Amino acid sequence: MLLAFDDNGPGPVIVLLHGFPLGRWMWHAQVADLGGVYRLLTPDLRGHGETAAPEGIYTIDEMADDVIEWLDSLQITEPVVLGGLSMGGYVALSLVVRYPNRFRALMLMDTKAWADSVDAAANRLRLAQGVEESGDASAVIQGMIPRLFSSLTREQRPDVIGQAAEKMMRTNPRAVAGALRGMAERPDRTAVLGRITLPTLVLVGEDDIITPLVEAQAIAADIPGSTLVIIPHAGHMAPMENPAAVNRAIREFLNRLA
Ligand code: MLT
């Protein structure tokens, strides 16, 4: 599948995968800061942003295969640094487990390795069905928005939330349903964390209520030698809410790789 993407900067390649139902726009502050030193490649995953939204279930492995096809199309065969937020983190885990030779470091942001509980998966399927029947994803997206951001961001940065909400609301309902169904059936990857040998940064907003600190701590405990960074004054959307702290953590991590 053809992925829309931005390609910014010189130097070693970093691929950043956005969450649900977001797009490559969420990495704006990382591109602005790190794009002078690194080549930041930010795709829109299947159905999101400007990438086409086919019918069907968007499995995490299929979204990962899209990323490999896209890297191949760019003739990027050397191992790259891979980062992903939330759903992008699920895709990143699928990639490093299934294509270990394509990556040289991993950044897992506000994400988890567990599968959905039975209740959480059932809830996603119910939401997906509602979106498919109505052809309208606005209620699902509106329901997510307050949970994505910390209370501080909600009080002090309504502009950040307003801009994100406006872009999220443009997500094709087919993609919302397809990704909900794909996330509901994603495999549990906790058992493979111990086999990840890549240098790994685990990053989480201190007020993330979607993928909370304990989940990041558990991932960091399981991936040998990984580094956990807690981002203050941020929720699930840490790269947008506190970009200075996120960019500092990424820079320090990348400097240690050099
Ligand atoms: C995301 O930010 O990608 C989603 O909240 C992930 C999820 O719903 O599991």
Side-chain angles (χ1 to χ4, degrees), residues 53-153:
E55 299 277 357
I57 302 176
Y58 295 7
T59 69
I60 296 298
D61 286 352
E62 193 171 22
M63 287 196 266
D65 292 344
D66 291 342
V67 171
I68 293 295
E69 196 182 317
W70 163 71
L71 284 174
D72 288 346
S73 75
L74 294 172
Q75 298 182 328
I76 294 175
T77 50
E78 77 278 10
V80 301
V81 176
L82 176 67
L85 178 126
S86 200
M87 182 183 77
Y90 311 155
V91 176
L93 277 178
S94 167
L95 283 165
V96 299
V97 168
R98 295 166 58 242
Y99 301 95
N101 299 331
R102 302 296 295 264
F103 303 100
R104 68 185 183 98
L106 175 64
M107 301 187 291
L108 294 172
M109 308 182 204
D110 297 279
T111 192
K112 52 193 169 196
W114 290 260
D116 276 0
S117 67
V118 172
D119 284 353
N123 187 45
R124 289 206 209 258
L125 298 181
R126 189 180 54 75
L127 292 176
Q129 191 176 351
V131 171
E132 284 155 355
E133 284 170 3
S134 64
D136 180 359
S138 55
V140 173
I141 295 172
Q142 290 286 8
M144 280 188 73
I145 290 168
R147 292 166 46 76
L148 291 174
F149 298 92
S150 69
S151 51
L152 191 76
T153 307

